[in-house]
Amino acid sequence: EDQVTQSPEALRLQEGESSSLNCSYTVSGLRGLFWYRQDPGKGPEFLFTLYSAGEEKEKERLKATLTKKESFLHITAPKPEDSATYLCAVPGVNSNSGYALNFGKGTSLLVTP
Amino acid sequence: DAGVIQSPRHEVTEMGQEVTLRCKPISGHDYLFWYRQTMMRGLELLIYFNNNVPIDDSGMPEDRFSAKMPNASFSTLKIQPSEPRDSAVYFCASRPAKEVTEAFFGQGTRLTVV
């Protein structure tokens, strides 16, 4: 069964203190890895999709990278507004009609001033 | 586009009552998903539809849960009878039929069963 594991569960950073979040996956034939951001009381909001090992994507202070076994979400010089839960997901296997995303439990990030 | 629209945003009900959650997907999206989110289990897939047809309902916890999609612009998730352990945030999401692409989520319905 496909598995997505995120670490750490929670992370507290000082403003400006760079760090990385990890998403490891076990899936045969990865068709994409998705990162989402979720703010309290809201639905997950799409950030990135990575399709192959070595691929990188950036958005403001966030950079996502992908290897054959895991993905990292690097946060450079974070600001308090980056505080959120970050979720990663992979497409589940479905033989006939498309797929649904299987999510990890997320990393709750708190950035303090 | 207004995005995926869910109603109600909050629902408080007594154990044993029927609960109906509603979702309007983004126009033109062929896939619709229902997820449930709890602190313990995270975001779990309950069921999804392709062109209004249920494809995989293996995540539906038990027979008390049912979902329908009578047309391309509306879906319901029903719980009858509801139990306190059903308390969670329920999300609806949709995406187009493109091979590998992201899903767009609604704001969720927070269900509390007392």
Side-chain angles (χ1 to χ4, degrees):
Chain A
E1 182 177 326
D2 300 339
Q3 295 284 348
V4 181
T5 304
Q6 292 188 246
S7 63
E9 289 186 13
L11 181 63
R12 182 178 180 133
L13 299 173
Q14 291 272 13
E15 185 173 2
E17 179 187 1
S18 301
S19 187
S20 297
L21 314 182
N22 177 265
C23 172
S24 62
Y25 59 89
T26 55
V27 59
S28 55
L30 182 70
R31 293 177 290 164
L33 186 138
F34 297 76
W35 281 99
Y36 282 78
R37 168 187 171 132
Q38 186 176 22
D39 292 297
K42 296 190 175 182
E45 178 183 348
F46 171 72
L47 291 173
F48 305 109
T49 307
L50 302 168
Y51 292 101
S52 58
E55 187 176 0
E56 299 183 352
K57 287 192 176 174
E58 291 188 59
K59 180 179 181 180
E60 295 182 357
R61 295 174 293 281
L62 300 177
K63 183 169 78 173
T65 62
L66 182 65
T67 72
K68 289 185 178 180
K69 293 184 178 181
E70 57 192 347
S71 177
F72 293 94
L73 185 65
H74 307 278
I75 304 176
T76 302
K79 298 181 177 181
E81 52 262 42
D82 295 321
S83 298
T85 296
Y86 291 87
L87 300 164
C88 75
V90 298
V93 175
N94 185 290
S95 60
N96 295 320
S97 299
Y99 64 88
L101 293 179
N102 294 328
F103 283 84
K105 292 187 177 180
T107 294
S108 177
L109 173 66
L110 176 64
V111 182
T112 58
Chain B
D1 199 317
V4 175
I5 300 173
Q6 293 186 243
S7 64
R9 288 297 312 276
H10 303 274
E11 177 80 35
V12 180
T13 191
E14 291 185 349
M15 183 174 61
Q17 295 298 306
E18 178 180 294
V19 176
T20 300
L21 311 181
R22 296 172 175 80
C23 175
K24 176 179 169 55
I26 293 173
S27 177
H29 283 191
D30 298 294
Y31 287 86
L32 182 140
F33 308 88
W34 283 100
Y35 286 87
R36 178 172 68 177
Q37 188 173 43
T38 61
M39 290 292 292
M40 288 294 294
R41 301 177 67 89
L43 201 57
E44 302 174 279
L45 176 69
L46 298 177
I47 185 172
Y48 75 96
F49 296 81
N50 179 19
N51 290 325
N52 314 336
V53 176
I55 301 302
D56 184 352
D57 65 354
S58 59
M60 296 286 261
E62 47 198 276
D63 291 346
R64 298 184 297 106
F65 285 69
S66 62
K68 294 182 179 180
M69 192 165 185
N71 58 63
S73 60
F74 184 66
S75 177
T76 59
L77 178 67
K78 185 176 294 185
I79 308 172
Q80 165 64 16
S82 57
E83 297 183 3
R85 59 194 168 115
D86 301 330
S87 298
V89 182
Y90 291 79
F91 287 102
C92 176
S94 69
R95 70 167 178 86
K98 183 180 173 183
E99 178 60 25
V100 180
T101 190
E102 67 273 18
F104 296 83
F105 282 77
Q107 297 284 39
T109 295
R110 179 173 294 277
L111 174 65
T112 303
V113 183
V114 297

